[in-house]
Amino acid sequence: MTRVAELEALAEEQQFLDRPVSTWRTAWIRLRRRKTGIAGMIIIGFWVTVALFAPVLAPYDPNEVLLGVEDVRRRDPPCIHLLGCDPSKPQHILGVDGNARDEFSRIVYGARVSLTIGVTTVTIAIVVGAALGAISGYWGRWIDNIIMRIMDVVLGFPALLLAIAIVAVLGRGLRQALLAIAIVSIPQYARVMRASVLQIKELDFVAASEALGASKARILLTRIVPNALTPLVVLGTLGIASAILEAAGLSFLGLGAQPPTPEWGTMLGEERNQIFSAPHLVFFPGLAIMLTVLGFNLLGDGLRDALDPRLNE
């Protein structure tokens, strides 16, 4: 791009920012200028694409046992014909696991499970936590004390240990793990929402609505909550990464997704004793978890910079 074209692009962007636009459109313009946010979106976009097109990308059913179907052995290493693997052997680009299933297919389908866990748990936690925080911050007094003391009790326990305790009561399984992670995540969203509501309810436009006779419920739902959601967007993006890690941890311990579900934490747990004899079965699921968490963390940092006016140029 020539210097003239760059100047024209900057001028066009400045004219756009000078116009009265919504907070979210302005944040999108600022986010595009941050490399960390763009990198996070690229990584997340990659995994979302993998999850959506898993039936097309995966060469095998994730639970198909290949013994007797192909000439494979349990825990065969990766075999890629273009890289010199014996052409007479079937191609498995990430190898074969301990049950003679294609590792690549299981990781591809595992993206569906992990992303579903992350998005679902955070959605539940945000809806419940935001409702509790909004009620607590706007009405205050004894309602605020009761809700916040309950949140303090929950926050007093380490998140993973509390999730393990909840799963122990509800029983093992993916749904139970999802619910447990959502429960332990509620307090942080409630406290952030409460802080935002306490700040916003003192502004002039809220006082004007009260003077015009609007009900408290209407003011809260139409005036305060929409303006208090910005911090939750950033926290929720980072929370998806935490939820994926916690779900993988529960599955690793045998409390989350149960075999043969192709979940990355379960795959790690099944092959954890083979880290020296078949390291590819531990490395690739761990790499998938790391990249996914990294993507959401980078996007969360980019959103924080884009949505916080104090951090903008």
Side-chain angles (χ1 to χ4, degrees), residues 122-140 143-144 146-148 151 182 185-198 216-217 220-221 224-226 228-229 232 235:
V122 168
T123 300
I124 295 173
I126 286 181
V127 170
V128 178
L132 293 175
I135 293 171
S136 176
Y138 188 63
W139 269 276
I143 297 178
D144 183 27
I146 291 175
I147 295 177
M148 286 299 104
M151 298 298 104
S185 302
I186 287 173
Q188 57 183 328
Y189 298 104
R191 293 179 71 87
V192 169
M193 187 66 173
R194 174 180 178 271
S196 296
V197 170
L198 287 174
K216 289 188 174 182
L220 180 62
L221 294 176
I224 296 178
V225 170
L229 291 177
L232 292 183
L235 186 60

Side-chain angles (χ1 to χ4, degrees), residues 9 40 43 50-51 100 134 151 239 246 255 280 303 309 312:
I43 296 173
V50 168
M151 298 298 104
E246 291 172 2
L255 301 175
H280 61 284
L303 286 173
N312 290 303

Side-chain angles (χ1 to χ4, degrees), residues 210-292:
E210 293 174 347
L212 292 173
S215 65
K216 289 188 174 182
R218 181 179 178 84
I219 293 174
L220 180 62
L221 294 176
T222 63
R223 296 291 185 269
I224 296 178
V225 170
N227 291 283
L229 291 177
T230 300
L232 292 183
V233 174
V234 177
L235 186 60
T237 304
L238 298 173
I240 293 176
S242 299
I244 291 174
L245 273 179
E246 291 172 2
L250 291 175
S251 297
F252 181 84
L253 296 173
L255 301 175
Q258 300 298 302
T261 303
E263 198 274 333
W264 295 333
T266 302
M267 295 166 66
L268 281 173
E270 289 178 335
E271 304 294 342
R272 63 183 181 274
N273 295 325
Q274 311 299 326
I275 187 170
F276 295 109
S277 60
H280 61 284
L281 299 180
V282 177
F283 174 77
F284 290 118
L287 180 64
I289 294 173
M290 185 272 290
L291 288 176
T292 306

Side-chain angles (χ1 to χ4, degrees), residues 100-116:
R101 297 170 298 194
D102 182 65
E103 186 76 355
F104 176 74
S105 299
R106 291 183 62 77
I107 287 180
V108 167
Y109 275 90
R112 285 186 166 186
V113 179
S114 293
L115 291 178
T116 300

